[in-house]
Amino acid sequence: MFSSFGVVNLPTYLAGVLLIVLLPGPNSLYVLSVAARRGVRAGYAGAAGVFCGDTVLMTLSAAGVASLFQTNAMLFGIVKYVGAAYLAWVAIGMLRSGWEMWRTRHEAGGTAETVAAAAAGESGGKVERPFRRAFVVSLLNPKAILFFISFFVQFVDPNYAYPALSFLVLGAFAQIGSVLYLSALIFGGTRLAAAFRRRRRLSAGASSAAGALFLGFAAKLSLASA
């Protein structure tokens, strides 16, 4: 059926998508974190940011931007370091909120509202916006563009007259897999939310651990090569 859209070896592609989706990364970690801290609605707002960011990257890949990154080291470096800096900034915010929750864990005056504000990432009057943050985390990843083009191209018939349609079909399958996986993370995260509300040490530790992982993602991206 899908061979008529210029897609070849679909079962192999689907197996690859499954492995790719299940690999931990900043996108899935952020969605799990925000769902655990703020609930299903915020989790899906973050997931929507991931979907939109990935759609933009797939479109750029199909348009040949990946080839531009491969041939222009300066452009790749600029996007790479901006992306790494943003991941580091997100990590610092998570570490700060974790420290605030840990610092106030024994204070009698630490109300539930204060804990909720720290867990939600509020700092200096600024409230975390899951969609925007997840979108930027997804978008500022030049390695993702290179990955999309290098992976997708293996399953596009070179003789097919409309390769953009082939990319659209492949991208749709990837997004469906992402929706299912992120939905599982979101509803799993809401189960963690109840425990986080009861145990401030657990909440502080989880936020700090997520921040440390984001620092790792930032370091990995900054060391990446085209």
Side-chain angles (χ1 to χ4, degrees):
M1 173 183 176
F2 289 101
S3 59
S4 61
F5 295 106
V7 175
V8 297
N9 299 323
L10 182 61
T12 303
Y13 171 76
L14 294 178
V17 165
L18 178 63
L19 293 175
I20 293 161
V21 167
L22 293 178
L23 285 174
N27 296 346
S28 56
L29 176 62
Y30 178 72
V31 170
L32 174 62
S33 173
V34 77
R37 292 182 283 114
R38 299 181 55 184
V40 171
R41 184 173 180 178
Y44 271 110
V50 172
F51 304 147
C52 291
D54 285 350
T55 298
V56 171
L57 294 184
M58 292 177 193
T59 303
L60 292 175
S61 296
V65 174
S67 299
L68 180 61
F69 275 157
Q70 289 176 319
T71 57
N72 191 323
M74 179 177 294
L75 177 62
F76 178 84
I78 291 172
V79 178
K80 177 180 71 173
Y81 288 118
V82 169
Y86 186 77
L87 289 178
W89 181 76
V90 172
I92 291 171
M94 290 180 170
L95 290 170
R96 287 180 61 186
S97 66
W99 167 248
E100 181 65 20
M101 285 183 282
W102 180 264
R103 186 180 64 82
T104 60
R105 70 192 187 281
H106 295 312
E107 291 181 9
T111 64
E113 289 77 10
T114 302
V115 177
E122 298 180 10
S123 178
K126 295 182 179 180
V127 181
E128 177 183 22
R129 300 182 185 277
F131 175 87
R132 185 173 65 185
R133 179 165 292 185
F135 179 75
V136 176
V137 166
S138 298
L139 203 57
L140 291 179
N141 189 352
K143 294 300 290 184
I145 300 177
L146 296 176
F147 166 77
F148 279 129
I149 192 67
S150 64
F151 183 66
F152 281 8
V153 73
Q154 301 175 52
F155 304 96
V156 176
D157 185 350
N159 298 316
Y160 187 62
Y162 307 102
L165 182 58
S166 304
F167 275 93
L168 179 63
V169 172
L170 294 172
F173 277 114
Q175 292 289 50
I176 290 171
S178 182
V179 168
L180 295 175
Y181 178 59
L182 292 181
S183 293
L185 291 183
I186 288 168
F187 286 102
T190 57
R191 290 179 178 270
L192 295 175
F196 287 169
R197 282 192 293 267
R198 292 193 304 267
R199 302 176 182 178
R200 296 171 67 178
R201 288 185 180 182
L202 178 62
S203 186
S207 182
S208 299
L213 286 173
F214 263 79
L215 281 179
F217 289 132
K220 183 178 179 180
L221 179 57
S222 67
L223 297 173
S225 58

